[in-house]
Amino acid sequence: MNYPNLPKDCTSMLCKHLSPEVFEALKDKKTANGFTLEQAINSGVLNLDSGIGVYAGDAESYELFDGLFDPIIEDYHGFGKNDKHQSNLNPDDLKAPNPDPEGKFIVSTRIRVGRNVANLPLGPAISKEQRDFVESSVVEGLNTLEGELKGSYHPLLGMSKEVQDDLIKDHFLFKEGDRFLDAVGLNRNWPEGRGIYHNTDKTFLVWVNEEDQLRIISMQQGGDIKEVFTRLVSAIKSIETKVPFSYNDHLGYITSCPTNLGTAMRASVHIAVPKLAEDMDAFKAITDKHHLQIRGIHGEHSQSEGGVYDISNLRRLGITEVEAVQDMYDGVVALITAEKAL
Ligand code: ADP
Ligand code: DAR
């Protein structure tokens, strides 16, 4: 493998941190699952508009390719090689009375975590047989859930296009054919082994075998962030009694993308701030101050519509789950205050 052609104007973390020296040190290494540096960086080589451009094929990738992953993790999360991740999933520690009880600003709230099954490769290096095993064992565990978490699993294989399109349009299901995921092999054998579990009200959902092997999701209309977090914690604690999660005390919960390590949590609101959005510099000054990310309303790499934005925590590693949600909550309060002032 030769050093990739990375143009000078490429701004991804891959372009920033894959020096020729790091490349030479890592290019001939292979994890126990056969995952190579070439596979890890292919998404960023093919998609020069990537933000990151690198994925892990297994937990070992983060150690074996540390020369590339460590500076990316430090750069994105501000988290050092010898730092230890801490977890706190106690909703009592979250100070978050509904910031918009009259429903004037927050359309909906969604909090999700990524999880992967312990002692198996991650999506980029998993075999079809292993991925099918993940689907069957995760679904077996999900089908034992009771109360508000009780629901049903819907495999993507055999799902009608209408049902699939409706679930995506209504923000419940992942999109198909993401080119970033495709380039690292995360779409292999699609749609086999993939699907969505949800309860009757679609306030609790689990994506199976998309970018991570599980995406555990709690969501509802309105701004009761604490209620959404409490439901998510209950779901995580129920599922982890059935499915062992890949975790270590340095990186926390192990995920395919380094941006999702640690809590692997993204807590978001869809919020209408049309006046504030007329001055994006002022808008971004508030989101930057509160470590928040602005996305469009149909997920990553999408646009906002009607002055509604997806606002979520940027930091996921080196802070606890409670702190990640508190980051989002405090930022949303600041955005509502600014919108009201306008
Ligand atoms: P993820 O959050 O899982 O990393 P995306 O940003 O692509 O992935 O979002 C996945 C889906 O969740 C998209 O359909 C998006 O519209 C939806 N979504 C995210 N946040 C919210 C929210 N606060 N309310 C409703 N839907 C949301
Ligand atoms: N699209 C890839 C991943 C960025 C983080 N988002 C994830 N993991 N869904 C990129 O490098 O832009």
Side-chain angles (χ1 to χ4, degrees), residues 268-281:
S268 69
V269 292
H270 279 182
I271 185 168
V273 282
K275 298 192 191 95
L276 191 56
E278 287 170 16
D279 180 353
M280 285 310 285
D281 290 342

Side-chain angles (χ1 to χ4, degrees), residues 50-53 55 180 211 257 259-260 300-301:
S50 290
I52 310 300
Y55 291 88
F180 302 95
E211 179 177 332
C257 177
T259 63
N260 282 317
E300 199 166 21
H301 308 116

Side-chain angles (χ1 to χ4, degrees), residues 60-223:
E60 184 190 355
S61 297
Y62 286 109
E63 294 159 29
L64 195 67
F65 305 122
D66 58 354
L68 176 59
F69 276 114
D70 284 353
I72 288 176
I73 289 166
E74 169 84 40
D75 195 346
Y76 183 88
H77 295 283
F79 190 80
K81 183 173 183 60
N82 299 314
D83 291 346
K84 297 284 181 217
H85 178 71
Q86 301 289 331
S87 181
N88 177 7
L89 280 160
N90 182 353
D92 295 343
D93 293 344
L94 178 66
K95 310 285 175 277
N98 189 334
D100 179 27
E102 294 167 16
K104 289 181 178 172
F105 305 96
I106 301 177
V107 176
S108 51
T109 300
R110 173 181 183 270
I111 307 178
R112 65 84 170 155
V113 292
R115 290 291 185 271
N116 289 281
V117 178
N119 305 315
L120 278 177
L122 298 167
I126 204 166
S127 70
K128 181 183 184 317
E129 293 68 29
Q130 290 168 322
R131 188 188 308 110
D132 292 346
F133 168 75
V134 166
E135 181 187 35
S136 57
S137 55
V138 166
V139 171
E140 187 183 339
L142 294 172
N143 284 338
T144 66
L145 298 177
E146 293 299 330
E148 184 186 21
L149 305 181
K150 186 171 181 57
S152 50
Y153 179 67
H154 308 272
L156 225 54
L157 189 64
M159 184 183 285
S160 74
K161 183 129 180 27
E162 294 71 25
V163 167
Q164 186 180 355
D165 288 348
D166 281 352
L167 285 169
I168 293 171
K169 178 175 58 60
D170 292 341
H171 310 293
F172 296 124
L173 181 61
F174 44 78
K175 296 175 289 208
E176 273 201 340
D178 181 299
R179 60 189 161 97
F180 302 95
L181 305 184
D182 202 52
V184 71
L186 274 163
N187 294 341
R188 286 172 296 133
N189 310 109
W190 195 279
E192 293 172 71
R194 281 78 178 197
I196 182 169
Y197 172 98
H198 60 75
N199 64 3
T200 310
D201 297 336
K202 297 195 185 78
T203 55
F204 165 59
L205 309 94
V206 180
W207 294 353
V208 178
N209 283 325
E210 190 234 10
E211 179 177 332
D212 289 305
Q213 286 155 12
L214 294 89
R215 287 290 176 89
I216 305 169
I217 301 160
S218 172
M219 65 194 290
Q220 65 192 48
Q221 297 304 302

